Each structure stands twice: as C-alpha cells, then as structure tokens.
Amino acid sequence: MCKSAFHSFLQELPKCEHHMHLEGSLSPEVLFTLAKRNNITLPQDDPAFQSAETLLARYDQFTSLDDFLHYYYIGMSVLISASDFEDLAMDYFRHAATDGISHAEVFFDPQAHIERGISYNTVLTGFSAARARAEKEFGITSELICCFLRHLPVPNCVSIFKDADVQASFKNGSVIAIGLDSSEKPFPPALFEEIYAGAKELGLRRTAHAGEEGPSTFISDALDILKVERIDHGIRLIEDEALLQKIAKDGTMLSVCPLSNVLLRCVKEVKEVPIRKFLDAGVKFSINSDDPAYFGGYLLDNYCAVHEAFNLSVAEWTSICRAGIEGSWCSQARKDEMLTRLDEVVRLWTPKLSV
Ligand code: ADE
Ligand code: ZN
C-alpha cells in the first residue's frame, strides 16, 4: 500500500476500468492450481515454470510486449472449463472490489481459446457467470469487449467475427464491443477494416490498442480507418502534436496503463507516461491495469503509482475519475449514480487533502 495521504481518497473514488484483459488477471498461483486441476504440462525447458515464485520473478524481466505475450499465451493454456473462466474473472472482480472499482469494461481473447479447442460459449458462459456474481456480490457493473488477435491471419479473425455464436453474443448484448490486441508493430490497424466496418453496422462499440509500441500513425489509422471510439494505450500520441490536439478537441478517450508501460519497457518509469501532457492538453484518459497479474499491480496500484509520480491535486483526480465515468459504455443512469458518488467522495475528502 502506498503511504500517500491520498491513498484512501483514491481507493474511495468510484473508478471505472476500461483496459483489463481477463486472461491477464491469471496470477501464477491460480495458473499452477489450474494446471494441476486440468492436467496441463507447463513448459519443462523454461526454468521460469518451476514454481509460482520463479514465474513471478520472470515477470519482472519482460523485455518487450512480445516477450510478455509469450508467457501470456502459455498461461492461458490452463483454462479449460467454464468454471475455470468464472474463477479467473472472480479473482479479478475480488481485487476490483478491494480497489474500489465501480464499473469495469474488460477484454477477452476468444481466438486464443478457440485455437486450443475451447469453444467460444464455454469462455462466455464462465465470464458471464462471474459478471453476474460481481454485480450481486460487490455492486460492480461490467461489460465484455471481444478482442481480435492481430498476429493471427486476418481471414481467421474475420471468420471468428462472423461465427454464429460470436454474432449471437453481439446481438443479445452479452458482448457490447470489439477490440484489437496482441503484437502491435507488424500489424497495422488497416488490416482489420472489414471487421470494424461490420461491428459498426451492428451498432457495437469499437476500440483498438494503438500507439503502445507502434507509431502514432496507428492511432490516426485506428480512428480514420477503423472508426474506433476509444484508443487503448495511445501513449505515443505525444509524437504528433496535431493529432493530440484533434483527440483533445474530439474528446476521444485513451485507456492509459502506466505500470504496464513500465514493465513492457515502453517507458523507463511512470514519470515518463505522458499524464501531465494529457492533462494540460485536455486529452481525456482513464487509468488502467492492463494485465494486472503480470505487471505487478491492480488498478489502485496504478492510481498510487501515478500519484507518486505526478503529485496530482484533488481537482485533477476528480477530472480523471469523471472522464472515466463519462467515457464508459454503460447507461446514463449508471453514470449518474457514479457521478453522484464522485461528488460525495470529493466533498468528504477535499477539506482533508487541501493544504
Ligand atoms: N494482450 C494483453 N495485454 C496486451 C497489451 N498490453 N498489448 C497488446 N496486447 C495485449
Ligand atoms: Zn492491453
């Protein structure tokens, strides 16, 4: 826990998380438990897989996004049954409740499971059960975002998009949005134009990872070609001042992931994440944990790390929290509940934290 006087204030803020891969909340402990339960043999030739402790130590040494993704895809091989997916998501929602999250829009990677012979409906059944429990047990509302893996052949992505079970989940509202993730640099957004056009026609929400490791042109391409409504990461936006001004003017939200950026060597330290630049330019953003079990912290850890690096004021935190609520893909009634709670928390904490 951070020692800042702001810690309890940050915990109590009604936070929204918009960038969290459910498969990235698989802790080494759960990974080893599920490997045993499901008789999955983990790689014998990599000493990192000797124990949960050695694996966690390896997570401190990621050299790039691809180095992390290697472990991420091996990790998810232990997920087999709907109850494995439910347990995984419940582990995330318990952390979310402790951290004071009100609403979470979470990613999942169906192709990574379908490729291993696990059906889309098995994955969806488990995650949907966890979402219902999270709302009942913790009052956390959530939405699912179906991601396409950009390192896989485009025709494979298109056929998953068109799959009857996937289409049914879009039409019945159990999945409200699509995203684009995995290895970024060799796979420009334009490759996925057909899927995004189809999603727009269905009235789905649309986001894409862009400008994490890839260039700022991937951000403009995601906006112009894919017609996304949100950009995931987007930190390389600072390399294009005109684009930054446009994104500020249009009110397009970025889902920024500070600890992830450090762990994947996109920046050297949290101080280098362009939080100050975005605040000063009026760029809307939320703060997120990305793959919390791999990057050393859940959402509140990211808030605390940002506070330590930038020493933000109550007013600045309030505007970040408000942007997250207003930029969420939930009903206006739910937003109003969170905005009311935000006002209460700010009223309570302002006298204590203002010097
Ligand atoms: N999949 C899981 N985490 C990711 C990240 N940070 N970037 C791209 N793809 C991912
Ligand atoms: Zn991500």
Side-chain angles (χ1 to χ4, degrees):
M1 187 178 111
C2 79
K3 299 208 172 57
S4 164
F6 273 62
H7 183 86
S8 298
F9 167 63
L10 298 178
Q11 194 280 338
E12 286 182 27
L13 284 173
K15 294 173 288 301
C16 296
E17 178 148 63
H18 304 117
H19 187 152
M20 204 294 299
H21 303 259
L22 281 165
E23 294 89 344
S25 68
L26 181 67
S27 69
E29 294 76 35
V30 176
L31 190 159
F32 276 88
T33 304
L34 290 180
K36 200 163 172 211
R37 189 204 281 179
N38 292 327
N39 264 321
I40 304 292
T41 308
L42 294 167
Q44 312 273 292
D45 54 350
D46 181 346
F49 284 100
Q50 269 166 17
S51 68
E53 291 71 33
T54 55
L55 194 54
L56 200 57
R58 177 64 179 84
Y59 292 173
D60 270 338
Q61 315 290 324
F62 291 134
T63 53
S64 65
L65 172 58
D66 281 351
D67 184 36
F68 150 69
L69 289 170
H70 168 77
Y71 285 92
Y72 175 76
Y73 291 121
I74 293 174
M76 63 176 84
S77 69
V78 303
L79 299 162
I80 306 291
S81 67
S83 66
D84 295 341
F85 289 95
E86 180 178 342
D87 291 350
L88 171 68
M90 280 312 291
D91 196 20
Y92 165 71
F93 283 123
R94 268 184 220 104
H95 280 100
T98 306
D99 280 2
I101 293 179
S102 297
H103 176 75
E105 294 173 0
V106 293
F107 299 127
F108 70 117
D109 286 330
Q111 285 164 290
H113 309 300
I114 292 168
E115 275 211 320
R116 304 183 288 114
I118 312 294
S119 79
Y120 183 78
N121 282 340
T122 298
V123 180
L124 191 59
T125 300
F127 287 155
S128 302
R131 287 182 56 216
R133 283 176 62 191
E135 181 153 14
K136 191 155 171 253
E137 293 173 29
F138 309 125
I140 299 174
T141 50
S142 63
E143 297 292 354
L144 286 175
I145 304 172
C146 171
C147 279
F148 292 88
L149 297 179
R150 62 206 306 165
H151 73 274
L152 293 182
V154 174
N156 180 302
C157 298
V158 172
S159 84
I160 297 294
F161 176 74
K162 292 184 175 164
D163 174 87
D165 292 338
V166 176
Q167 287 285 314
S169 72
F170 295 153
K171 292 192 177 122
N172 69 24
S174 46
V175 175
I176 62 145
I178 66 160
L180 187 62
D181 65 356
S182 197
S183 191
E184 183 182 8
K185 278 191 282 193
F187 306 105
L191 293 170
F192 302 91
E193 188 174 1
E194 181 184 348
I195 293 177
Y196 276 77
K200 187 162 189 278
E201 210 161 292
L202 288 175
L204 295 174
R205 300 294 197 159
R206 301 165 311 278
T207 186
H209 284 53
E212 177 185 17
E213 279 189 347
S216 59
T217 51
F218 281 17
I219 300 174
S220 46
D221 286 354
L223 290 166
D224 299 342
I225 302 171
L226 303 186
K227 314 275 183 222
V228 297
E229 300 160 276
R230 191 186 278 171
I231 294 285
D232 299 316
H233 290 294
I235 52 171
R236 291 190 61 184
L237 179 60
I238 50 165
E239 294 167 17
D240 183 340
E241 184 62 27
L243 183 61
L244 184 134
Q245 294 303 332
K246 180 183 170 346
I247 282 186
K249 184 168 133 294
D250 294 348
T252 308
M253 194 174 72
L254 311 180
S255 66
V256 176
C257 308
L259 290 178
S260 162
N261 294 157
V262 175
L263 266 282
L264 297 188
R265 321 261 167 192
C266 300
V267 296
K268 285 201 194 66
E269 52 182 346
V270 174
K271 276 193 182 131
E272 276 181 31
V273 179
I275 297 282
R276 172 55 58 201
K277 173 94 186 159
F278 290 161
L279 279 171
D280 290 348
V283 171
K284 297 233 166 87
F285 64 91
S286 59
I287 293 172
N288 304 274
S289 65
D290 203 0
D291 300 281
Y294 289 84
F295 299 153
Y298 284 76
L299 189 62
L300 187 56
D301 300 308
N302 277 272
Y303 271 62
C304 290
V306 167
H307 191 70
E308 196 173 293
F310 294 97
N311 199 20
L312 301 183
S313 65
V314 171
E316 286 166 332
W317 277 116
T318 306
S319 80
I320 292 170
C321 190
R322 178 170 292 117
I325 295 170
E326 286 170 349
S328 288
W329 291 332
C330 58
S331 67
Q332 189 57 47
R334 180 67 180 131
K335 289 183 190 182
D336 290 344
E337 277 174 15
M338 292 190 277
L339 289 168
T340 302
R341 178 69 192 142
L342 174 61
D343 285 347
E344 286 166 8
V345 172
V346 171
R347 209 174 315 119
L348 185 75
W349 282 96
T350 299
K352 298 182 195 178
L353 294 173
S354 307
V355 269

